[in-house]
Amino acid sequence: MSNGRGFDDLGWARPDTDREARLGLPEVVYGPGKTPEQITGVVRSLLRANTGPVLVTRIEQPVASEVCRAVPDAEYDAAARLLVWHRAEPVGFDVAVVSAGTADGGVAAEATGVAGAVGLSVHRISDVGVAGLHRLMAERGPLSGAGAVICIAGMEGALPSVIGGLVACPVIAVPTSVGYGAALDGVTALLAMLSSCAPGVVVVNIDSGFGAAIAAYRMAARR
């Protein structure tokens, strides 16, 4: 329950306990840079104050194990590096998570894990990059039925433009840091997606499967 201030002062952190009331979801905890004890303290604060899903992102197995021992009833997704308490019920919104190559799988796993945790129904489509477009065309059915498409690609970042020309629903592009030198750790894909000739494609930060999933959740919430 809210303490009337809208945040919980732990001395070293101030969890935003009123975010669920404002945005529909509790604050999400970013794992890197925090000790297991710090993550545990913030998670306990958020669980006390909220009823919706509490998530910790980018958390590796050893740290996740310590947090799970301290705060029971968590689900850990190693591929997504995601901890979840109080998974949301389905909200009736379908998302296709489409990745260009196998090397983009970690970002796709994060997008899939977060989207599912907040109540979206996810259809995962993997390894359909532009070097073999016949692979993508075999998935036209699931793409056309989605409420939104999260499109994940590295290297030259061309896949969102292709998908943006095939579907009417929102396309959320995620550049990844996959690729050789001139890919510039995802900057080339980022700029390509921002410059897409497919109108209306929106772009999140490099490797941010989390950001794409929450963008899709916001679209679902408005519907």
Side-chain angles (χ1 to χ4, degrees):
M1 300 297 291
S2 174
N3 58 17
R5 297 185 298 177
F7 64 91
D8 192 2
D9 192 347
L10 304 180
W12 41 269
R14 296 187 181 192
D16 182 355
T17 54
D18 275 6
R19 192 171 301 185
E20 183 178 46
R22 299 195 314 273
L23 304 183
L25 290 174
E27 180 180 1
V28 174
V29 183
Y30 179 69
K34 297 181 178 69
T35 66
E37 294 77 17
Q38 289 172 331
I39 294 171
T40 295
V42 174
V43 166
R44 284 174 171 163
S45 171
L46 295 173
L47 289 172
R48 284 194 300 268
N50 300 282
T51 60
V54 172
L55 313 181
V56 182
T57 65
R58 299 295 172 93
I59 183 167
E60 302 294 345
Q61 179 77 66
V63 178
S65 295
E66 290 192 47
V67 175
C68 288
R69 283 193 292 269
V71 188
D73 302 322
E75 301 174 42
Y76 181 60
D77 183 335
R81 295 182 291 168
L82 179 70
L83 270 174
V84 181
W85 290 263
H86 298 171
R87 178 178 294 273
E89 294 296 322
V91 298
F93 190 85
D94 295 329
V95 176
V97 176
V98 184
S99 52
T102 305
D104 301 311
V107 177
E110 182 179 63
T112 299
V114 172
V118 300
L120 308 183
S121 300
V122 181
H123 182 83
R124 178 89 172 264
I125 302 173
S126 302
D127 199 21
V128 290
V130 298
L133 280 176
H134 55 297
R135 301 173 299 184
L136 178 66
M137 301 311 290
E139 300 287 349
R140 287 291 299 275
L143 286 174
S144 63
V149 175
I150 295 173
C151 184
I152 300 163
M155 298 192 180
E156 84 281 31
L159 187 59
S161 289
V162 176
I163 291 179
L166 294 176
V167 301
C169 69
V171 176
I172 305 164
V174 187
T176 72
S177 51
V178 169
Y180 294 105
L184 301 175
D185 293 326
V187 174
T188 296
L190 172 66
L191 296 177
M193 293 173 182
L194 288 170
S195 304
S196 174
C197 62
V201 171
V202 297
V203 186
V204 298
N205 208 342
I206 296 169
D207 290 337
S208 186
F210 162 75
I214 297 301
Y217 171 82
R218 284 176 175 259
M219 293 171 186
R222 294 305 301 167
R223 290 192 177 186

